[in-house]
Amino acid sequence: MIIERAEVIVTSPNRNFVTLRLQTDEGHVGLGDATLNGRELSVVSYLKDHVVPLLIGKDAHRIEDTWQFLYRSAYWRRGPVTMAAIGAVDMALWDIKGKAAGMPVYQLLGGASRTGLMAYGHASGVDLQALFDSIREHRELGYRSVRVQTGVPGLKAIYGIAAQSVIDGGLERYDHEPARRGAYPAEEDWDTRSYLHHLPTVFEAVRSEFGPDLPLLHDGHHRMTPIQAAKLGKSLEPYDLFWLEDCTPAENQDALRLVRQHTTTPLAIGEIFNTVWDFQTLISEQLIDYVRAASTHFGGISPLKKVMDFAAQYQIKSGCHGPTDISPVGFAAQLHVGLAIHNFGIQEYMQHGERTNATFQQSMTFENGLLHPGDNPGLGVDLDVDEAGKYPYEQAYLPFNRLADGTVHDW
Ligand code: EZ4
Ligand code: CO
């Protein structure tokens, strides 16, 4: 089965998505997600200029060989642009293999290890009242666990509080994400001291309102030093978090060793990691509890399965990154992995907007708090190319942070 055609499709139904569409001589179509939030066109170029020409004429069944060829033959390794491009090829080839076999991808990965994947949603609010309302809304939507993010007194705008923005003249959520359309990133503010004082009071209030059973998560979004993160982990111990995510910037992995020495709050990291090797120390030294890798930014399904098998030896579980800037294709890819592996932990699920769901038809279901990728052959996602054509790319950036004295801080 030969790859005959390869196209890169950019569409912005609610936000920008980059999709690789491969077609074989036997008529099978495979989709791969190559969306890199805020840097989308760099992956389009990497694919169109450097990858697509190498794919035409290749055997579509040779997933591992194609992955290794794209990874090793470039000489320059890793990085989000390269790995998103390779990830899209990998997903598209798994999609094709599933369709050729007449099976959903999870069957090819070993079959289902559970009935569905526990999902958590993003509850947030500028203050406690808004946060409580958001937690209730999420429970009504069927979520059995939630991430908790709130405003911090004295700070105007911070990460993780669902915002609204104007699209086509109407007020609509911009796919629940903080990226903003425009030519320059929005500026937010930050003060770690205020945050460290405030956050334990938020979790205390949430626990007293909602009781001890609801699994609660929190994303530190890379903004603390190791000792600050250790202090936060310790101060949150009475509230029994499911995990504390990205407590320190991802570059310095030694930081996690220090945090680990001080707290039993479970740690999750890796949404901006690109390869299995980025997790080598964190997994083998048991410095984390959950692997946050996303199929899209991690080189696809093949390496995600490998890192999770490695993690399984240390009782470390999955917690794949599932924001709306992962397209329905990338999201489906990690649902298939999550359903198949033994060491599944939890799946982040933010939910795409209506136009996104109309552009990408999905066999996925969300029932009783559990996600399932569906049983359509392949990944179970179809891209409506005409619909996609209605929504051209729009420049959008993630925000950045400045401290009160003007210093740029991690966002
Ligand atoms: O900020 O996906 O856990 N989720 C996150 C996300 C990231 C965005 C960046 O594109 O941290 O909201
Ligand atoms: Co995160």
Side-chain angles (χ1 to χ4, degrees), residues 37 147 159 177 219 221 245 271 292 321 323 325 348:
N37 199 6
R147 191 184 88 161
Y159 167 79
E177 270 289 297
D219 192 344
H221 225 256
E245 169 183 345
E271 67 183 47
R292 288 279 292 153
H321 191 209
D325 47 278
E348 183 180 29

Side-chain angles (χ1 to χ4, degrees), residues 120-155:
Y120 73 90
H122 283 198
S124 69
V126 282
D127 54 25
L128 275 183
Q129 213 43 61
L131 172 65
F132 287 1
D133 289 347
S134 174
I135 294 175
R136 287 192 192 97
E137 277 168 32
H138 278 81
R139 296 181 97 182
E140 278 160 27
L141 285 169
Y143 286 100
R144 289 191 212 154
S145 47
V146 289
R147 191 184 88 161
V148 167
Q149 309 288 137
T150 60
V152 172
L155 298 180

Side-chain angles (χ1 to χ4, degrees), residues 6-10 20 43-53:
E7 295 161 88
V8 182
I9 296 160
V10 182
L20 176 69
V43 192
V44 174
S45 161
Y46 194 101
L47 280 168
K48 278 191 180 168
D49 297 334
H50 304 293
V51 173
V52 162

Side-chain angles (χ1 to χ4, degrees), residues 325-354:
D325 47 278
I326 303 284
S327 91
V329 177
F331 194 69
Q334 52 201 34
L335 293 189
H336 286 277
V337 175
L339 194 65
I341 58 175
H342 178 250
N343 54 332
F344 169 76
I346 199 167
Q347 176 61 56
E348 183 180 29
Y349 178 41
M350 284 178 75
Q351 306 208 5
H352 288 110
E354 270 175 40

